[in-house]
Amino acid sequence: MKVALKMKMLTLLGLFLACSTIGMNRASAQTVWLDQLDLSNATQGSGMPMKNKTVDRRVLTIAGKTYERGFGTHSVSSLLILLEGKATSFTAQVGIDDEVIGRNPAAEFVVMGDNKKLWSSGVMRSNDTARTCSVSLVGVKKLELLVNDGGNGNYYDHVDWVNAKFETTGETSLKTYNPISSDKYILTPPAAATPRINTAKVFGVRPGSPFQFLVATTGDRPMKFTAKGLPKGLKIDSKTGVITGKIAKAGTYIVSLGAKNAKGKAEKTLRIVCGDQIALTPPMGWNSWNCFANEVSADKVKRAADAMVKSGLINHGWTYINIDDFWENHRDSKDETLRGKLRDEAGYIIPNSRFVDMKPLADYVHNLGLKIGLYSSPGPWTCGGCAGSYGYEKQDAESYAKWGFDYLKYDWCSYGNVINGLKDNDPYKVSSLSYNGGGELNTAMKPFKVMGELLRSQPRDIVFSVCQYGMSDVWKWGGSVNGNCWRTTNDINDTWVSVKNIALDQEKSAPYAKPGNWNDPDMLVVGTVGWGNPHPSRLKPDEQYLHISLWSLFSAPLLIGCDMEKLDEFTLNLLTNDEVIEINQDPLGKEATCVHTIGDLRIYVKELEDGSKAVGFCNFGIELVNMSYNEFAKLGITGQNTVRDLWRQKDIKSMDTANDQLDIEVPAHGVLLYKFIPKK
Ligand code: GLA
């Protein structure tokens, strides 16, 4: 009886347990929607990751059908999700959002599980009906939802994952993650109180042009400046360190610069080359676009110039204060401050009401020891729809010189309309036209040739920045139209995708860089940027170190694109490292190329004038690189060398590069920037 009772109880217990397990199973097969996860960990080509909205914050819509739930993003987009085997399947519909119809977007959606491709949509375009994605995730630990560009660049690739959800085994704690560290660490040592002359070692000027050159120097003030061996016609202001005047005769002049304060003194040799070529080192300064875009004004420009001085950046060689688009009147803006007569009766351009008088503005900037730049387009309209130079090139070049400008960015924009005789003034429809080969090449060169010659004939030196996004292999002919630098790519933005793609695209133009002729991978995206919608750069700290290191290795023009009044300690650390800047400003003017690749580690080498080499160990991958490196022959480095860490400004090793190894640890998306100095 006792035994029978026990048996009955055990059976009941068994039944109870069985039922509760079934109950648990039922409860456990839970659905987790993608929009319930933290989408802010996504990286994407433009804009911000959006929950239940498009990247432009509209209702998710694919081929006319609207969706309530989903993830609106922009290619190239990557969202990493830690599954740890907790999910059994993922389903979604994907497509290009209708908000970009007519813009020619193309993208491919891919699902990666533990680095293996589980599903791909194939290339999708506007108006394609949503494609259904359904993948089994049994056993998958890490998932990546990826959207690649569809082969025509990622312009306007606004893409949606809609009705996207996971079935899970009961665990609902799926987490997105971003493998790149957010730790902001400072590497640049503070400038010493003793003088250090940071100015470039060479400066070019044309005979008879007004000369202005600041001996950029860090150290306590007051400081006394001297310059021995100045050619006839030049003098130095001993208090400010600004050299002014005019040189009548072409020639090379070796000048001995001196700077002295209560703590000590410094000397440096400057080579002044008076001849045909200017911009003998890449221009360094600031440009209004990445920060203010269409909201620029004379007041903002003055404040940027003041901040250049107040922040001390001026003492590290930062020189140009460049006004981008929107100083001109607009063709049809609703903003009254941009409306007015475009030109006077003689065809001379009239600045908009935010600028009014350009000459006093240029004087203001010059009086601070800085230089000033301006912007126009060879077409009738600039990219922003303001008055361009087409038909008035002569008057414009004269105005720039008369006002005292030192730099012109000349931006293709609506010039395609001129070629095609189009009435339609939408610049984006034509800005990506490519002109490769024969007769068409002349068409591509023509407007820059016209302005280049006009600038050359002005009575002052005006750096000519050619901007046509790298069409027609501009690096091969930019110098022949008097260009001092030329954009090699489309517009940059403050995303890893943008910086990475631009960086990887520089190899073909690299051999063409030389003093006076620079490849321009576009402006810097550190600090508070945002094209009128200011926010801290979305690049992670290591990505910012990599960005500045690469642009230095590339001998790129360095144009800060941020709000100069909001410079934080981290950004200042990026922009005030004189040993890093020295790599950019090296007088030999070579551009680094990637000479050795190990997985995601790309090793860039730049030859320097003194026979040493700058080497960037650049980690484009998402894992830390930790290794012993010994293939120096591949980098063209031989013999006994001192290895100097430029960001930390410290010698780290003396080594025999044929036999010794160098231990390197490069953070994900980060860099080590070293100089290999051969022992004599
Ligand atoms: C283009 C250029 C940008 C900026 C804008 C201004 O997009 O590439 O750098 O000058 O035009 O409208």
Side-chain angles (χ1 to χ4, degrees):
M1 162 102 180
K2 264 187 187 167
V3 173
L5 189 68
K6 220 176 183 177
M7 284 297 289
K8 223 175 189 177
M9 283 174 70
L10 278 175
T11 316
L12 278 174
L13 186 68
L15 262 175
F16 170 76
L17 280 177
C19 289
S20 54
T21 318
I22 292 166
M24 227 170 74
N25 271 346
R26 253 195 228 125
S28 65
Q30 284 198 39
T31 300
V32 178
W33 290 78
L34 181 63
D35 58 73
Q36 291 175 316
L37 307 186
D38 177 4
L39 301 177
S40 70
N41 276 321
T43 55
Q44 57 186 52
S46 183
M48 301 299 276
M50 297 304 294
K51 171 181 165 170
N52 302 334
K53 286 195 187 87
T54 68
V55 76
D56 276 352
R57 294 160 205 265
R58 298 199 178 94
V59 175
L60 297 159
T61 314
I62 303 172
K65 208 168 160 213
T66 58
Y67 300 85
E68 262 175 45
R69 302 192 81 157
F71 166 35
T73 179
H74 192 299
S75 91
V76 174
S77 160
S78 161
L79 179 64
L80 292 161
I81 305 154
L82 205 59
L83 299 181
E84 300 291 11
K86 293 172 197 162
T88 51
S89 67
F90 174 71
T91 51
Q93 285 164 293
V94 300
I96 309 268
D97 197 277
D98 285 5
E99 70 186 1
V100 286
I101 280 180
R103 297 295 194 179
N104 198 22
E108 182 197 19
F109 297 73
V110 179
V111 179
M112 303 283 293
D114 296 330
N115 294 328
K116 278 192 222 92
K117 196 188 267 190
L118 303 181
W119 180 82
S120 152
S121 66
V123 173
M124 294 190 70
R125 299 180 194 278
S126 294
N127 258 331
D128 284 353
T129 44
R131 291 188 190 158
T132 301
C133 158
S134 174
V135 288
S136 162
L137 295 179
V138 176
V140 173
K141 294 198 168 65
K142 286 181 190 168
L143 189 77
E144 183 177 16
L145 300 181
L146 191 68
V147 190
N148 288 319
D149 103 69
N152 62 352
N154 70 340
Y155 261 26
Y156 294 106
D157 290 351
H158 295 203
V159 290
D160 305 330
W161 298 84
V162 296
N163 291 338
K165 53 183 193 280
F166 298 90
E167 296 307 325
T168 71
T169 54
E171 282 279 0
T172 51
S173 59
L174 307 184
K175 283 205 166 57
T176 62
Y177 67 101
N178 186 321
I180 310 303
S181 163
S182 294
D183 187 20
K184 276 192 180 173
Y185 54 98
I186 305 277
L187 293 181
T188 302
T194 48
R196 185 186 195 277
I197 302 178
N198 301 312
T199 222
K201 292 181 188 135
V202 61
F203 182 70
V205 65
R206 297 196 179 109
S209 294
F211 188 100
Q212 184 183 317
F213 180 87
L214 171 78
V215 183
T217 309
T218 44
D220 286 357
R221 287 344 194 229
M223 187 98 71
K224 190 170 177 281
F225 293 93
T226 51
K228 278 190 217 127
L230 279 178
K232 200 165 157 247
L234 296 189
K235 62 174 191 328
I236 187 163
D237 181 321
S238 65
K239 285 204 185 79
T240 61
V242 180
I243 304 173
T244 52
K246 265 182 196 167
I247 310 176
K249 222 173 125 224
T252 298
Y253 305 93
I254 305 298
V255 180
S256 197
L257 302 172
K260 196 170 162 196
N261 68 8
K263 303 272 167 55
K265 60 180 184 179
E267 282 174 2
K268 187 163 184 169
T269 303
L270 171 70
R271 201 164 78 233
I272 298 176
V273 185
C274 181
D276 236 22
Q277 197 55 282
I278 58 170
L280 297 183
T281 61
M284 289 174 67
W286 173 85
N287 172 294
S288 60
W289 185 251
N290 289 356
C291 166
F292 298 126
N294 60 355
E295 286 162 15
V296 67
S297 66
D299 178 54
K300 284 179 175 152
V301 171
K302 277 188 185 167
R303 278 159 45 190
D306 289 340
M308 189 68 102
V309 178
K310 212 169 143 209
S311 63
L313 282 173
I314 189 173
N315 300 328
H316 298 271
W318 300 92
T319 303
Y320 291 94
I321 299 292
N322 291 353
I323 306 163
D324 207 277
D325 206 354
F326 288 91
W327 64 270
E328 325 85 332
N329 275 309
H330 197 270
R331 63 177 176 225
D332 56 9
S333 171
K334 293 198 178 66
D335 181 341
E336 280 308 312
T337 63
L338 296 171
R339 296 306 294 277
K341 232 174 131 196
L342 305 180
R343 295 182 176 273
D344 68 14
E345 279 64 38
Y348 287 92
I349 190 155
I350 305 173
N352 66 39
S353 62
R354 300 172 185 173
F355 284 88
V356 190
D357 210 348
M358 290 302 218
K359 172 97 175 52
L361 178 60
D363 290 346
Y364 182 91
V365 172
H366 288 146
N367 285 336
L368 295 172
L370 298 168
K371 295 188 176 182
I372 186 161
L374 207 55
Y375 168 98
S376 189
S377 167
W381 306 108
T382 65
C383 290
C386 298
S389 295
Y390 183 64
Y392 301 97
E393 293 85 355
K394 184 165 180 292
Q395 288 95 324
D396 282 359
E398 282 171 18
S399 295
Y400 309 148
K402 193 178 72 194
W403 294 334
F405 277 77
D406 308 293
Y407 192 109
L408 177 72
K409 172 175 169 184
Y410 205 46
D411 192 352
W412 180 264
C413 301
S414 64
Y415 190 77
N417 296 14
V418 174
I419 297 171
N420 296 333
L422 295 180
K423 290 272 177 321
D424 185 340
N425 277 322
D426 182 348
Y428 291 104
K429 287 207 175 136
V430 290
S431 61
S432 58
L433 281 185
S434 171
Y435 295 96
N436 288 316
E440 286 183 326
L441 182 64
N442 289 330
T443 318
M445 288 169 67
K446 189 175 158 198
F448 296 103
K449 193 160 183 281
V450 170
M451 185 50 91
E453 272 164 19
L454 283 163
L455 293 180
R456 279 301 303 265
S457 65
Q458 301 308 315
R460 65 183 293 118
D461 293 350
I462 301 177
V463 171
F464 188 32
S465 159
V466 169
C467 178
Q468 42 82 292
Y469 339 112
M471 295 187 295
S472 320
D473 294 349
V474 58
W475 40 90
K476 294 185 181 158
W477 52 265
S480 74
V481 295
N482 289 304
N484 297 113
C485 50
W486 41 79
R487 281 270 297 276
T488 51
T489 66
N490 266 320
D491 291 15
I492 197 168
N493 65 36
D494 58 323
T495 63
W496 166 247
V497 174
S498 172
V499 170
K500 174 184 155 192
N501 287 348
I502 289 179
L504 296 181
D505 203 23
Q506 298 311 301
E507 300 289 312
K508 53 188 184 300
S509 50
Y512 296 88
K514 61 175 193 296
N517 293 155
W518 309 107
N519 290 307
D520 175 6
D522 208 0
M523 300 172 285
L524 303 177
V525 278
V526 300
T528 301
V529 291
W531 301 269
N533 170 25
H535 58 262
S537 172
R538 282 173 290 166
L539 293 179
K540 300 277 188 164
D542 281 312
E543 296 169 345
Q544 300 193 37
Y545 278 116
L546 182 60
H547 174 35
I548 301 295
S549 303
L550 279 170
W551 266 234
S552 294
L553 287 162
F554 290 156
S555 303
L558 296 179
L559 292 171
I560 302 169
C562 71
D563 185 338
M564 296 291 289
E565 292 186 307
K566 293 196 183 124
L567 286 163
D568 58 306
E569 201 196 346
F570 178 74
T571 309
L572 275 169
N573 138 77
L574 293 169
L575 302 175
T576 56
N577 194 311
D578 298 307
E579 297 198 22
V580 175
I581 293 172
E582 238 163 46
I583 298 304
N584 175 267
Q585 295 288 301
D586 187 74
L588 192 61
K590 295 270 188 198
E591 177 169 339
T593 51
C594 174
V595 292
H596 190 191
T597 305
I598 308 168
D600 288 322
L601 182 74
R602 293 171 64 83
I603 308 173
Y604 286 82
V605 179
K606 174 172 169 161
E607 260 179 76
L608 303 171
E609 190 189 46
D610 65 1
S612 58
K613 289 193 167 73
V615 179
F617 295 93
C618 303
N619 184 356
F620 284 77
I622 58 172
E623 313 273 344
L624 174 92
V625 169
N626 196 342
M627 66 184 291
S628 288
Y629 186 80
N630 64 1
E631 297 180 76
F632 294 99
K634 284 200 172 135
L635 313 185
I637 295 173
T638 53
Q640 197 70 32
N641 276 253
T642 302
V643 185
R644 188 163 174 83
D645 182 327
L646 298 177
W647 279 109
R648 294 173 178 83
Q649 301 187 354
K650 251 193 207 146
D651 288 349
I652 52 164
K653 197 176 166 109
S654 170
M655 67 183 294
D656 168 8
T657 54
N659 297 306
D660 299 345
Q661 306 222 334
L662 183 70
D663 293 331
I664 56 169
E665 203 177 283
V666 198
H669 291 186
V671 64
L672 294 177
L673 184 60
Y674 287 174
K675 186 171 173 182
F676 284 75
I677 309 154
K679 288 224 167 122
K680 301 237 161 72

